[in-house]
Amino acid sequence: MTLESRLAARAAGAAVALWAAIGLLAIGPATAQQPADGAKKELVARVLKLQQSGLEQLGRALAEAPAQQMVAQARAALQRAPADKRDAVARELDAEVRKYLDETVPLVRDRAVALAPSTVGPLLEQRFTEDELRQIIAILESPVNAKFQQLAPEMQRALGERLVGETRPLVEPKAQALRRAITSRIEAAVPKGN
């Protein structure tokens, strides 16, 4: 699996986790409630702890997104490089991307977890009763949910492989046309020798 496909798979996983978290926040009454008491705050903290991996995935995806874009652009640009230099430059780029990811992912991932109590926590406190929070915790802690979550990467991989396989013939010509259009516009706008 290439670095680009690993980044895409991680981004897809984080997107699923993010949408699941957003779905949780969208459920429940939208009316403001009284400030949360200690018991409710503890329940919210427990929900956040149970959702820590999703928060970490979101942070990872946000940190990886710029690298993913740059890798895609670099791969396209490398196609114009002489064949004898392509592999060496690709390896160097992969090393640079790995270095970026090694330095950046932990920072953003950890910050996502640290910010959750002050951003997601108040939403949970406002939109869920103590009983609803207990129900969420029961769902999150259930063995069936754990089994489902363990299967998520395999489900995403299976869907992703099939989706790419079935849409590649449709998407590649469009992507190539877009690349040609962008390249021709850039070449027309940039004087030769710059």
Coordinates of all heavy atoms in Angstrom, one line a residue, residues 19-29 119-121 123-124 127-128:
W19 N -18.3 11.9 11.4 CA -19.7 11.9 11.1 C -20.5 11.2 12.2 O -21.6 11.6 12.6 CB -20.0 11.4 9.8 CG -19.6 12.3 8.7 CD1 -18.6 12.2 7.8 CD2 -20.2 13.6 8.4 NE1 -18.5 13.3 7.0 CE2 -19.5 14.2 7.4 CE3 -21.2 14.3 9.0 CZ2 -19.8 15.5 6.9 CZ3 -21.5 15.6 8.5 CH2 -20.8 16.1 7.5
A20 N -19.9 10.2 12.8 CA -20.5 9.5 13.9 C -20.6 10.4 15.1 O -21.7 10.5 15.8 CB -19.8 8.2 14.3
A21 N -19.6 11.2 15.4 CA -19.6 12.1 16.5 C -20.6 13.2 16.2 O -21.4 13.6 17.1 CB -18.2 12.7 16.7
I22 N -20.7 13.7 15.0 CA -21.6 14.8 14.7 C -23.0 14.2 14.8 O -23.9 14.9 15.3 CB -21.4 15.3 13.3 CG1 -20.1 16.1 13.3 CG2 -22.5 16.1 12.8 CD1 -19.6 16.5 11.9
G23 N -23.2 13.0 14.4 CA -24.5 12.3 14.6 C -25.0 12.3 16.0 O -26.1 12.5 16.3
L24 N -24.0 11.9 16.9 CA -24.4 11.9 18.3 C -24.8 13.3 18.8 O -25.7 13.4 19.6 CB -23.2 11.4 19.1 CG -22.9 9.9 19.2 CD1 -21.7 9.7 20.0 CD2 -24.1 9.3 19.9
L25 N -24.1 14.3 18.3 CA -24.4 15.6 18.8 C -25.8 16.2 18.2 O -26.4 17.0 18.9 CB -23.3 16.6 18.5 CG -22.0 16.3 19.2 CD1 -20.9 17.3 18.7 CD2 -22.1 16.4 20.7
A26 N -26.1 15.7 17.1 CA -27.4 16.1 16.5 C -28.6 15.5 17.1 O -29.7 16.0 17.0 CB -27.3 15.8 15.0
I27 N -28.4 14.4 17.8 CA -29.6 13.8 18.5 C -29.9 14.5 19.8 O -29.0 15.0 20.4 CB -29.2 12.3 18.8 CG1 -28.9 11.5 17.5 CG2 -30.3 11.6 19.5 CD1 -28.3 10.2 17.7
G28 N -31.1 14.5 20.1 CA -31.5 15.0 21.4 C -32.1 16.4 21.3 O -32.0 17.0 20.2
P29 N -32.6 16.9 22.3 CA -33.3 18.2 22.3 C -32.3 19.3 22.1 O -31.1 19.3 22.6 CB -33.9 18.3 23.7 CG -33.2 17.4 24.6 CD -32.7 16.3 23.7
T119 N -15.0 22.0 23.9 CA -15.8 22.2 22.7 C -17.0 21.2 22.6 O -18.1 21.6 22.5 CB -14.9 22.1 21.5 OG1 -14.3 20.8 21.5 CG2 -13.9 23.2 21.5
V120 N -16.7 19.9 22.6 CA -17.7 18.9 22.5 C -18.4 18.7 23.8 O -19.6 18.5 23.8 CB -17.1 17.6 22.0 CG1 -18.1 16.5 21.9 CG2 -16.4 17.7 20.7
G121 N -17.7 18.8 24.9 CA -18.3 18.6 26.2 C -19.5 19.5 26.5 O -20.6 19.0 26.9
L123 N -21.5 20.8 24.4 CA -22.6 20.4 23.5 C -23.3 19.2 24.1 O -24.5 19.1 24.1 CB -22.1 20.1 22.1 CG -21.6 21.3 21.3 CD1 -20.9 20.8 20.0 CD2 -22.8 22.2 21.0
L124 N -22.5 18.2 24.6 CA -23.1 17.0 25.2 C -23.9 17.4 26.4 O -25.0 16.9 26.6 CB -22.0 16.0 25.5 CG -21.3 15.4 24.4 CD1 -20.1 14.6 24.9 CD2 -22.2 14.5 23.6
R127 N -27.3 19.2 25.3 CA -28.2 18.5 24.4 C -28.7 17.1 25.0 O -29.6 16.5 24.4 CB -27.7 18.3 23.0 CG -27.5 19.7 22.4 CD -27.4 19.6 21.0 NE -27.1 20.9 20.4 CZ -26.8 21.2 19.2 NH1 -26.7 20.2 18.4 NH2 -26.6 22.4 18.8
F128 N -28.0 16.6 26.0 CA -28.4 15.3 26.5 C -28.7 15.4 28.0 O -28.0 16.1 28.8 CB -27.2 14.3 26.3 CG -27.1 14.0 24.8 CD1 -26.1 14.6 24.1 CD2 -27.9 13.0 24.2 CE1 -25.9 14.3 22.7 CE2 -27.7 12.7 22.9 CZ -26.7 13.4 22.1

